Amino acid sequence: MCSRHDAVQVIVDRLNAGEHIATVNLSKSLIGKTGIAAVVKPLKENSHVRHVDLASNGLNEPGATEIAQVLALSNGLKSLCLDDNSIKAAGAESISKALEVNSQLHTLHLSCNRIDDMGCRRLAHALRVNKTVHTLYLDRNNAADDFGQEMGTTIKMNNTLRVLDLADNDVKAAGAMALAKALASNSTITTLNLSRNSIGNEGATEMGRMLLKNKSVKHLRMSWNTISDPGAHELAGVLPSNQVLELLDMADNRISSMGATEVARALLVNSTLTALYLSGNGIAGPGAHEVAVALQKNSTLQELYLAWNCIVEHGAKALADALCVNGTLTALDISANGIGKEGASHVARALARNSALRRLYLHGNVLKEEGPRHIAKALQSNTTLELLDLDGNEIGPNNIKGIAEAIRSNCSLQTLKLARNKVNDVGAWELAEALKVNRTLTVLDLTRNVVEEAGATELTDAICINNTLRELHLSYNRIKEPGAVALARALAINTTLHTLKIADNEINEAAAFMLADALEENNTVHTLELLGNNVTKKVEDKLDKIMRDTMAYVRVPGEFQEALCMGLHPRLGGASNCWIRILHESLVMMVIECSTVAVTRKFDF
């Protein structure tokens, strides 16, 4: 606790000195409602701060009131994150008053703050005055239908809000209807998230009617909303005429094969939708077949998520047939569908022919022995797949050899997920040998397997040679002192690995201390997970000091530097799994000139 307070004090001292600090990240720093005043004072006076993150600090209502003073006075603050601080309605009231006078803030994070419906309504009212906030996160609060009505009125008056996240609240059909009617004439909101509410078929129907008139909403999320076939029918009915919507999320609802069939028929004529989420419904084999038929003609859909739908091998065959002719789909998730070895053989056949798919998720499909062999064979000829998720497929130690052999020759795969597959030391050795020659894999996930000292040592020998692997996940295995010591020695040599996850093994104090010593010398690892091991206070103090006193330096790939120069990289500031999330716009030129970027280290122990 003291060390975290020390880290806060360092930032406070720098702010008091007038240092040019654009981003102040003090999330999870145990500041509390009594310590926030010391942070607020320099924030009021330092005019260089643009982004402040105070998530998970136990600020409560008094802390929100203090931060509201900064918001009211600031002429430069652009984004503020107060997620997970339990500010409740009183805190929301203080923030709302500040928003009514602030003219600079554009992004406000208030997720998970126990703000009740009245507090959410007050924030909605403030946005009728505020003309700069374009992104508001109110997910995981207690907004209800009255807020929906209030926010609907605000949407009719506000012409700056673009992103509105209301996931995991208590909005029902009436609130959704009010929002939908307001959005029908709105021309600025592009993203609406209503997942994990209770809008039902009535709310979904109104959202469908809204999409007939609205010309701005591109992303609409409505997962976990008890929507069944009637709601899917209404939404499918607008897809042929809507020319704006790009992402539609109806995952984890109650849509059967009948509803999926209607959506599939809409895909035959829709020309704008690029991402469709239908996971966790009940579309089964017949519904998957209809979607597959649509994929043979649709030329715009890029991402399709169908996990947890019991499509079994028949649905897998239909989708595989579609992949043999479809040239636009880049991501397919058919996890936890019981496709078995027969379904895997069909998928493998498609992989051998398809040249567009980049990400394939097959976890939890009980592929067992023959299934992985089919996939491995296809990988030897496939040249486009970048991510393969085979988690939880009971592959076993004897079948990893085929996957490893495929990695030796494959030149496109970047992420391989093999968690929960009973991979032992022999399997780890097979993969390690492949890593010694592979030059494209950047992420290897072996979480929750049975890798012990010998396997860990083989993998560390490989990363002493390999210079492309960026992430190694070995949590929940059986690694003890010898394996951890080998990892420590490898870190002294390797200069490319930036994430090492070895939580919940059997690493003792001596080995943990050697890892800490290695990290003190290593300047590329920025993320370490060591929880659940025998880490003593002495080791904790050392790791904490390293984390506070040193930075990691991440090498930027040459092709990315070129993309930055051209200003064309599509993922800049984008997806959460994109490494570029560490990059701020102000660092772009530094990256181009220096080919490295400094990253704050995050060690969990």
Side-chain angles (χ1 to χ4, degrees):
M1 181 180 294
C2 291
S3 59
R4 294 190 187 183
H5 289 172
D6 290 344
V8 172
Q9 189 59 51
V10 169
I11 297 295
V12 168
D13 290 344
R14 291 173 63 192
L15 289 170
N16 279 324
E19 188 173 333
H20 288 231
I21 304 177
T23 300
V24 175
N25 186 348
L26 292 173
S27 61
K28 299 180 180 179
S29 294
L30 304 176
I31 294 172
K33 59 186 178 182
T34 56
I36 189 62
V39 178
V40 164
K41 184 178 180 296
L43 284 177
K44 289 179 183 177
E45 298 170 357
N46 191 304
S47 61
H48 307 295
V49 177
R50 297 291 179 266
H51 312 282
V52 174
D53 186 350
L54 291 167
S56 305
N57 269 298
L59 301 184
N60 304 121
E61 298 97 316
T65 301
E66 293 275 1
I67 289 298
Q69 296 175 25
V70 177
L71 194 56
L73 296 172
S74 175
N75 290 317
L77 193 63
K78 300 298 182 184
S79 69
L80 174 62
C81 180
L82 294 176
D83 292 346
D84 188 27
N85 272 298
S86 194
I87 71 171
K88 300 182 182 176
E93 172 68 26
S94 298
I95 297 296
S96 297
K97 289 178 179 178
L99 285 177
E100 290 172 343
V101 296
N102 180 280
S103 60
Q104 296 293 325
L105 196 76
H106 60 60
T107 301
L108 179 59
H109 296 255
L110 293 174
S111 306
C112 195
N113 265 301
R114 299 171 66 188
I115 303 172
D116 63 15
D117 191 63
M118 182 175 68
C120 291
R121 293 202 311 268
R122 180 65 182 91
L123 287 162
H125 193 275
L127 291 178
R128 297 175 194 175
V129 180
N130 181 283
K131 302 299 181 186
T132 58
V133 171
H134 60 62
T135 301
L136 176 62
Y137 294 92
L138 265 180
D139 52 301
R140 292 172 291 161
N141 283 291
N142 297 302
D145 282 344
D146 287 343
F147 162 78
Q149 308 256 356
E150 193 78 17
M151 195 69 204
T153 302
T154 295
I155 289 172
K156 292 177 182 178
M157 301 168 62
N158 181 293
N159 61 0
T160 53
L161 196 63
R162 299 201 298 265
V163 176
L164 180 59
D165 191 341
L166 301 175
D168 206 355
N169 277 282
D170 195 27
V171 178
K172 295 183 173 63
M177 291 168 67
L179 289 168
K181 288 177 180 177
L183 285 168
S185 57
N186 179 276
S187 60
T188 57
I189 292 181
T190 61
T191 300
L192 176 64
N193 190 349
L194 283 171
S195 295
R196 291 185 179 275
N197 281 281
S198 304
I199 71 171
N201 288 327
E202 287 183 83
T205 297
E206 287 301 322
M207 286 294 159
R209 292 171 182 168
M210 174 272 291
L211 290 174
L212 283 172
K213 299 178 180 179
N214 180 278
K215 304 299 180 185
S216 65
V217 173
K218 295 182 177 181
H219 296 174
L220 179 59
R221 293 188 178 275
M222 296 181 293
S223 62
W224 294 95
N225 266 295
T226 63
I227 299 169
S228 57
D229 289 340
H233 167 79
E234 295 296 333
L235 288 163
V238 304
L239 289 179
S241 57
N242 182 284
Q243 298 298 309
V244 180
L245 194 67
E246 297 175 359
L247 181 152
L248 178 60
D249 183 358
M250 295 190 290
D252 297 288
N253 280 292
R254 300 173 182 175
I255 300 168
S256 72
S257 58
M258 186 180 300
T261 297
E262 298 210 43
V263 174
R265 290 172 181 168
L267 287 178
L268 290 170
V269 291
N270 178 276
S271 60
T272 58
L273 202 67
T274 59
L276 176 61
Y277 293 74
L278 287 172
S279 295
N281 282 285
I283 72 173
H289 181 271
E290 294 299 326
V291 172
V293 170
L295 283 179
Q296 295 194 30
K297 295 184 178 180
N298 181 286
S299 60
T300 53
L301 196 69
Q302 297 173 20
E303 300 179 30
L304 177 61
Y305 300 89
L306 294 173
W308 294 94
N309 267 298
C310 294
I311 71 170
V312 296
E313 64 269 19
H314 304 299
K317 180 183 182 301
L319 289 166
D321 291 341
L323 286 177
C324 288
V325 296
N326 180 285
T328 54
L329 199 71
T330 60
L332 175 63
D333 186 353
I334 51 173
S335 301
N337 269 299
I339 69 171
K341 60 183 181 182
E342 294 86 358
S345 69
H346 293 302
V347 172
R349 169 173 54 86
L351 282 178
R353 300 182 184 181
N354 182 282
S355 60
L357 201 67
R358 299 289 184 270
R359 304 192 307 277
L360 178 60
Y361 302 88
L362 294 172
H363 68 254
N365 266 302
V366 199
L367 304 184
K368 293 191 175 180
E369 296 186 2
E370 293 183 36
R373 291 175 191 165
H374 293 306
I375 299 295
K377 185 177 180 181
L379 283 179
Q380 292 182 1
S381 58
N382 182 283
T383 58
T384 53
L385 196 69
E386 297 174 358
L387 181 151
L388 177 60
D389 182 356
L390 291 172
D391 287 357
N393 271 298
E394 299 182 24
I395 294 175
N398 297 326
N399 295 295
I400 288 296
K401 183 177 181 180
I403 300 291
E405 288 178 351
I407 293 172
R408 286 173 178 265
S409 57
N410 183 282
C411 60
S412 64
L413 199 66
Q414 297 174 20
T415 299
L416 178 60
K417 297 172 67 64
L418 292 170
R420 297 178 296 118
N421 272 302
K422 301 178 182 178
V423 179
N424 61 12
D425 286 344
V426 175
W429 173 77
E430 296 280 5
L431 291 167
E433 291 299 299
L435 284 176
K436 290 177 181 178
V437 295
N438 180 280
R439 291 294 178 267
T440 57
L441 202 67
T442 60
V443 179
L444 177 60
D445 187 352
L446 288 170
T447 304
R448 292 186 184 276
N449 281 288
V450 286
V451 178
E452 300 184 38
E453 285 79 3
T457 300
E458 294 293 343
L459 287 167
T460 55
D461 288 346
I463 65 175
C464 288
I465 299 171
N466 181 289
N467 63 359
T468 53
L469 197 69
R470 301 290 185 265
E471 298 187 23
L472 180 59
H473 300 199
L474 290 169
S475 295
Y476 294 95
N477 277 278
R478 299 175 182 175
I479 301 169
K480 297 179 182 178
E481 181 177 351
V485 169
L487 279 168
R489 289 172 180 162
L491 290 180
I493 300 171
N494 182 283
T495 59
T496 52
L497 197 74
H498 64 58
T499 297
L500 178 61
K501 297 186 179 183
I502 46 175
D504 288 280
N505 279 282
E506 300 172 35
I507 299 170
N508 62 19
E509 179 187 14
F513 207 89
M514 286 192 68
L515 282 166
D517 284 340
L519 289 168
E520 196 168 29
E521 299 299 322
N522 177 291
N523 66 354
T524 56
V525 173
H526 60 66
T527 300
L528 171 71
E529 289 189 6
L530 197 57
L531 289 165
N533 288 289
N534 186 21
V535 179
T536 61
K537 181 69 165 55
K538 183 180 179 182
V539 178
E540 287 181 357
D541 289 344
K542 186 174 181 66
L543 287 170
D544 191 78
K545 186 176 187 303
I546 295 168
M547 184 169 58
R548 288 188 292 113
D549 295 349
T550 64
M551 300 285 281
Y553 294 90
V554 177
R555 188 185 304 277
V556 181
E559 64 272 17
F560 197 90
Q561 294 176 55
E562 294 174 13
L564 284 175
C565 290
M566 297 294 290
L568 296 176
H569 199 284
R571 295 188 294 182
L572 183 58
S576 59
N577 64 345
C578 178
W579 72 270
I580 200 60
R581 65 187 181 273
I582 64 172
L583 183 67
H584 298 294
E585 285 183 30
S586 59
L587 295 176
V588 169
M589 289 310 300
M590 187 192 78
V591 169
I592 293 172
E593 294 172 3
C594 305
S595 77
T596 58
V597 67
V599 188
T600 303
R601 308 184 98 166
K602 183 178 183 295
F603 298 164
D604 288 328
F605 44 82

